[in-house]
């Protein structure tokens, strides 16, 4: 998988995923398959300015700093967020292209981007 | 979670997910976080007529029948597919509403369904 996440795909309702596409996508969905990680992603994305530092995130959860850091690392390795150190803190932002690609893969065929079957 | 999958949400980039929303969504994303299940979902959705029987699916994988059945059960319990027995076989079809809701949750804000911020 590229650093920026999976590069595929047509909507999965349009044509069968290849083994490689499925493996790439499964890694990202697995990263999303945890409630803390989903909330972190959502908190970062919806934070003022589209980015959040760890200091904005830790107070929301009753979890240790290392646990939060672990979940952030999983999101980063899945290509869903990027972090940049500025001064004391690392600031995270969501990579919207990856989310957009995932949304495209899950789109039902009626709204799928690459489905152009005539129905008559 | 309802039998039909999570009932939420605005795009996760638009506002923070609640704990309950995140738990519901994480269950479905976890079901998608496996390459075999993604391929099964894709094979079912893209099969002629929008449904596939187990007999259409088992030959594609070098996996035992019980393993395929396990993965189909996970997809069913996540509300992603429904099965109907007709004669010897169970026929599966994808539930497009759930996929559509997931796609909506992942949509970047610019294309989010419930984001209607004026930009001027």
């Amino acid at each position: 998988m590229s650093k920026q996440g999976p590069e595929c795909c047509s909507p999965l309702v349009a044509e069968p995923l290849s083994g490689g596409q499925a493996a790439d996508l499964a890694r990202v969905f697995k990263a999303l398959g945890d409630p803390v990680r989903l909330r972190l992603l959502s908190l970062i994305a919806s934070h003022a300015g589209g980015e959040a530092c760890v200091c904005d995130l830790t107070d929301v959860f009753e979890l240790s700093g290392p646990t939060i850091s672990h979940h952030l690392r999983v999101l980063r390795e899945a290509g869903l967020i990027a972090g940049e150190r500025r001064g004391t803190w690392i600031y995270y932002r969501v990579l919207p292209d990856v989310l957009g690609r995932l949304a495209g893969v899950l789109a039902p065929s009626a709204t799928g981007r690459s489905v152009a079957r005539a129905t008559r």
Side-chain angles (χ1 to χ4, degrees), chain A:
Chain A
M1 187 169 69
S2 80
K3 285 275 181 188
Q4 297 303 310
E7 289 180 8
C8 60
C9 305
S10 302
L12 60 73
V13 305
E15 58 185 336
L17 294 169
S18 71
Q21 290 171 333
D24 281 354
L25 288 167
R27 269 189 61 181
V28 187
F29 285 126
K30 196 170 179 181
L32 294 174
D34 178 279
V36 173
R37 288 198 289 273
L38 278 177
R39 291 183 70 196
L40 282 170
L41 190 68
S42 174
L43 283 164
I44 294 166
S46 62
H47 201 263
E51 65 176 15
C53 83
V54 176
C55 57
D56 297 317
L57 302 171
T58 44
D59 288 350
V60 180
F61 302 93
E62 292 185 2
L63 295 169
S64 69
T67 299
I68 299 284
S69 293
H70 159 75
H71 287 303
L72 289 169
R73 188 169 62 247
V74 174
L75 290 172
R76 206 177 59 227
E77 288 177 356
L80 288 160
I81 61 173
E84 182 191 359
R85 180 175 289 279
R86 294 206 295 275
T88 309
W89 300 104
I90 298 175
Y91 288 78
Y92 291 98
R93 61 186 168 78
V94 167
L95 299 173
D97 285 359
V98 178
L99 284 186
R101 266 176 255 154
L102 292 179
V105 167
L106 294 176
S109 59
T111 57
R113 289 172 302 179
S114 61
V115 177
R117 292 188 186 126
T119 53
R120 59 204 161 111

